Each structure stands twice: as C-alpha cells, then as structure tokens.
Amino acid sequence: MAELTGYLRDELLQLDVDDVTAPAAEEVPPGARAVDVASIGSLLVALGGSATALSQVVTVLRGWLGRCQHARPSLRLTLDNDVLDISEASDEQVAQAFDLFVQRHSTMERQT
C-alpha cells in the first residue's frame, strides 16, 4: 500500500496543489513493532486557492483507483465536514460518487 500511495502522491504533486504530505505518525517507542494501519496510505492534500484543484485531484484519484484494480484500495476523501468513503464500489458508482462530491463543493464555492 505504501508503494501505491507513493505513486499517487507523485501524481498529485504534478497538479496545482500547495502540498501533498503523509500525516505525522504517532511516536512509537524504540523496539516496538506497532503500526497504525489506518495511517498507511494516508495523504493530506493542501488545495490552495485554485478553483479547479478539487476537480483535478478527483480526476487523478479516479485514474489511480482504476489502475489499482488488483489491490482495490479503500479511499476516504474529506473536505471541510464532507466525507466520501469509497470501498468495494463499481467503477460507475465511483464515478457518480466523485461527480456528486465535486458538484457539492463547486456549489458551495459559488455560494460563498
């Protein structure tokens, strides 16, 4: 999963985003073998002020998920208090979910 996430990070960094980082992991005592499974593969994307950044990020995520058919990773996309969780969905369901998410935030952007 870390390798797949690295590829995704590289793709996201090519967009008009401010930054793409892995969230800081909790300190693990020396010699411990603990891993926070939820943090493996997590990325934080700073969108900045670009009006098209969210749409670009979603396009990259959609392509990345399509290329990960063999691994079929889960995805959690959070913007403000809106959360989109995708796991075990068909390609059509993924496309619809992403479209609705972008549409909701485009509408919110126009209202502010």
Side-chain angles (χ1 to χ4, degrees):
M1 184 53 65
E3 186 176 356
L4 290 174
T5 304
Y7 294 141
L8 176 58
R9 181 178 184 274
D10 291 344
E11 285 185 62
L12 290 169
L13 283 169
Q14 295 176 22
L15 303 177
D16 186 19
V17 297
D18 287 349
D19 198 12
V20 181
T21 58
E26 296 292 322
E27 290 257 342
V28 178
R33 294 181 182 225
V35 173
D36 179 9
V37 176
S39 70
I40 295 175
S42 296
L43 293 174
L44 298 173
V45 179
L47 294 177
S50 171
T52 60
L54 178 60
S55 181
Q56 292 173 346
V57 167
V58 165
T59 298
V60 167
L61 291 174
R62 187 181 295 176
W64 180 78
L65 278 173
R67 290 188 304 275
C68 294
Q69 291 292 328
H70 61 283
R72 205 57 172 169
S74 296
L75 183 122
R76 182 181 185 105
L77 183 60
T78 305
L79 183 60
D80 297 326
N81 291 324
D82 192 9
V83 178
L84 174 63
D85 279 311
I86 296 177
S87 108
E88 299 184 27
S90 70
D91 292 340
E92 183 176 311
Q93 291 168 324
V94 169
Q96 289 174 347
F98 277 139
D99 290 344
L100 287 172
F101 190 84
V102 169
Q103 185 178 47
R104 277 195 307 266
H105 290 280
S106 296
T107 302
M108 287 179 196
E109 187 176 290
R110 278 185 255 132
Q111 292 174 354
T112 57

